[in-house]
Amino acid sequence: MPERRTVALVTLGCARNEVDSEELAGRLAADGWELVEEAADADVAVVNTCGFVEAAKKDSVDALLEANDLKDHGRTQAVVAVGCMAERYGKELAEALPEADGVLGFDDYGDISGRLQTILSGGIHASHTPRDRRKLLPISPAERQDAAVALPGHAQTVSGEPTPPAGPPEDLPEGVAPASGPRAPLRRRLGSSPVASVKLASGCDRRCTFCAIPSFRGSFISRRPSDVLGETRWLAGEGVKEIMLVSENNTSYGKDLGDIRLLETLLPELAAVDGIERIRVSYLQPAEMRPGLIDVLTGTDKVAPYFDLSFQHSAPGVLRSMRRFGGTDSFLELLETIRTKAPQAGARSNFIVGFPGESESDLAELERFITEARLDAIGVFGYSDEDGTEAASYEDKVDPDVVAERLARVTRLAEELTAQRAEERIGETVRVLVDRTDDEDGVVGRAAHQAPETDGVTLLSTGQELEPGRMVEAKVVASEGVDLVAEVLSVEGTGCTEEAGR
């Protein structure tokens, strides 16, 4: 009997990282590893790090150190770093953090089982040397699909040939998605939530001056629609009710497949998958929004009229320094177009304050936009230099104390405005997916304008037992900050109304 090998995956950062962790889990499970939830119960703790901003990097280091402490009084024998921070810093991270027994880059994902076995056996796997991953793929998007490059969220390729699945579908462990296409990865769920993310693409071709992601995630490359559909069908079979489509830039989907409007075609097909009740699209570039995409997002059954728009700022001068497009008036026109087609549409965005060269008048312009935009959720971040970005070399930096003051000021405004927007929704009838039930909050779900983790929740008033995954119709009766309170009117799939359930 083969020796029992256990592994735990600790995931930090965004939904894209969560998908990468489930891909790694699929590969490991297919090769005989037993996945456990707690790092203390695992022979190897794999920490999927985030390398986006300084705070996220600190959280990743803390998680690695916390896992390392388990080696003194638990089962854990090795701690391994993977993910964006490991890819971005490689040997530098390994030297600065000797507590990590291995620092693996994206090129190691195809043989993650072998790498972990080597480390667990006391061997040393050399940490990779970071490189600009944009240079690994052809400049022309049309030439990228057959490139022999490791892509997180896609199956690995070696010398242009796809890595074969670990075995035919019937040989895979229960709960592992078979690789259905040349770039379709194995996948194993690491939780039982009724919502799951599906990756549309990896990388980004934009050159925002504040962002380092393209340098370590690489250039933009889409997954094939058949792979996205196949993975969605598998997730539906695993009990998933809501799919969230993720990538660095979903509005670019299909450009390397010869059809920039491919998302408009794919969304209705995904919504038709049996068992899926909601499709949500994240991370949309305002400058790339097109009428046909707005029409599909606002007019397709089961596709949430949800707009996660990456505005970042609204003062034209600041946006040009960021190498971005648009401004307050064009952004407001975009939101008006959306709400004309779907009055209850949800809209959220993130903003950077204190960007180099930002003046008080620029900040006032941003405040004007936020005030008039009526966004459901707003994230505000203070600018800080990121290694390897163009903005880090800018000379007209805003004093850190001023950045902190502006961050606090805009954050207060955002909290006030999003609470007002939630209050505006009182009286609306919303379709809510039940996420969980607990003793403190009762039945907790999300309406179409509320994405997981980021946009608030809907607290349901009901006399019925509602398990996660149920879809209900409810009327909003109150708000608490960005959260809504709603009374259940009916439970889909049961024929029951609230009165009947009492």
Side-chain angles (χ1 to χ4, degrees):
M1 179 179 246
E3 182 182 358
R4 178 174 179 259
R5 302 173 299 175
T6 57
V7 59
L9 284 143
V10 179
T11 307
L12 294 96
C14 64
R16 300 185 292 276
N17 253 19
E18 293 172 6
V19 177
D20 292 347
S21 285
E22 293 197 347
E23 177 189 344
L24 292 173
R27 291 179 178 278
L28 290 166
D31 203 45
W33 289 77
E34 180 183 343
L35 286 113
V36 296
E37 290 187 14
E38 300 295 332
D41 299 327
D43 297 317
V44 184
V46 177
V47 179
N48 191 349
T49 61
C50 179
F52 181 38
V53 293
E54 203 60 41
K57 288 183 278 188
K58 181 181 183 303
D59 288 343
S60 295
V61 170
D62 290 345
L64 287 163
L65 293 173
E66 183 178 339
N68 182 69
D69 289 342
L70 298 173
K71 290 192 288 188
D72 295 331
H73 48 76
R75 178 188 177 102
T76 308
Q77 301 173 51
V79 175
V80 175
V82 299
C84 290
M85 188 176 179
E87 173 65 36
R88 185 177 181 183
Y89 294 104
K91 289 181 178 179
E92 181 183 342
L93 176 62
E95 292 169 0
L97 199 70
E99 291 86 352
D101 299 287
V103 176
L104 306 182
F106 297 152
D107 292 333
D108 294 306
Y109 283 18
D111 188 27
I112 186 68
S113 176
R115 301 289 192 264
L116 296 190
Q117 186 58 57
T118 295
I119 294 168
L120 185 59
S121 301
I124 297 175
H125 178 71
S127 301
H128 77 106
T129 301
R131 48 190 172 163
D132 188 336
R133 296 189 70 85
R134 291 171 292 192
K135 299 177 181 179
L136 301 182
L137 287 165
I139 293 176
S140 170
E143 298 175 0
R144 293 176 186 166
Q145 283 290 324
D146 296 324
V149 176
L151 300 167
H154 305 245
Q156 309 298 95
T157 59
V158 181
S159 301
E161 294 297 326
T163 300
E170 62 267 21
D171 291 343
L172 291 175
E174 183 179 353
V176 175
S180 58
R183 281 196 184 272
L186 301 172
R187 181 171 179 174
R188 182 184 187 276
R189 297 209 70 202
L190 293 174
S192 58
S193 168
V195 60
S197 296
V198 173
K199 190 170 287 189
L200 274 184
S202 288
C204 185
D205 285 342
R206 301 183 72 88
R207 295 294 179 264
C208 301
T209 58
F210 57 83
C211 183
I213 289 176
S215 66
F216 57 86
R217 277 280 181 178
S219 297
F220 186 90
I221 183 166
S222 304
R223 293 182 65 197
R224 294 189 179 277
S226 57
D227 293 344
V228 177
L229 276 164
E231 190 168 320
T232 299
R233 292 187 184 107
W234 174 77
L235 287 166
E238 294 290 302
V240 170
K241 299 299 181 183
E242 178 179 324
I243 293 295
M244 187 163 71
L245 300 178
V246 299
S247 76
E248 279 73 22
N249 178 10
N250 282 332
T251 36
S252 284
Y253 179 69
K255 72 176 186 178
D256 52 321
L257 294 171
D259 186 359
I260 191 60
R261 294 176 176 82
L262 194 55
L263 185 56
E264 287 95 303
T265 304
L266 178 61
L267 284 171
E269 294 184 78
L270 291 170
V273 171
D274 189 34
I276 296 298
E277 295 295 333
R278 180 184 287 157
I279 303 291
R280 185 185 303 278
V281 184
S282 67
Y283 211 85
L284 302 166
Q285 285 289 345
E288 296 180 30
M289 291 299 294
R290 44 197 181 267
L293 181 55
I294 294 173
D295 287 344
V296 172
L297 288 170
T298 56
T300 306
D301 186 39
K302 294 189 178 181
V303 173
Y306 174 80
F307 292 82
D308 176 15
L309 294 159
S310 176
F311 290 124
Q312 302 298 346
H313 211 282
S314 75
V318 176
L319 287 168
R320 302 308 172 266
S321 294
M322 291 178 169
R323 201 170 288 121
R324 297 178 67 85
F325 306 95
T328 297
D329 293 335
S330 64
F331 291 164
L332 290 173
E333 288 174 8
L334 173 60
L335 291 169
E336 178 62 24
T337 298
I338 290 167
R339 288 170 176 148
T340 297
K341 295 177 180 294
Q344 289 186 224
R348 78 168 324 276
S349 193
N350 294 323
F351 300 92
I352 298 172
V353 297
F355 190 79
E358 181 190 63
S359 64
E360 279 293 332
S361 62
D362 291 328
L363 188 69
E365 184 71 1
L366 174 60
E367 290 174 320
R368 177 171 82 88
F369 171 66
I370 293 175
T371 300
E372 296 183 27
R374 295 171 55 236
L375 298 173
D376 293 280
I378 298 172
V380 188
F381 302 89
Y383 173 82
S384 62
D385 288 339
E386 278 297 311
D387 298 337
T389 61
E390 184 178 340
S393 67
Y394 288 178
E395 294 181 355
D396 49 349
K397 298 286 174 47
V398 178
D399 183 273
D401 290 339
V402 176
V403 174
E405 186 277 327
R406 291 179 180 178
L407 174 61
R409 171 175 151 187
V410 177
T411 297
R412 285 194 301 270
L413 177 63
E415 290 174 349
E416 177 183 341
L417 292 170
T418 51
Q420 288 177 8
R421 178 66 183 123
E423 190 174 354
E424 288 177 13
R425 291 191 178 274
I426 295 175
E428 290 184 358
T429 298
V430 293
R431 194 164 176 255
V432 179
L433 177 70
V434 176
D435 276 339
R436 69 179 193 276
T437 300
D438 58 47
D439 294 336
E440 182 177 351
D441 296 320
V443 181
V444 182
R446 290 173 297 102
H449 69 281
Q450 296 171 319
E453 308 294 334
T454 59
D455 299 342
V457 298
T458 298
L459 307 173
L460 292 171
S461 173
T462 177
Q464 300 172 247
E465 293 287 335
L466 294 175
E467 67 272 18
R470 276 290 183 196
M471 190 70 77
V472 305
E473 188 177 76
K475 182 176 180 179
V476 180
V477 296
S479 62
E480 299 176 359
V482 296
D483 297 335
L484 303 180
V485 179
E487 293 181 349
V488 173
L489 301 176
S490 64
V491 181
E492 295 185 14
T494 65
C496 295
T497 65
E498 175 64 10
E499 286 297 322
R502 286 178 175 167

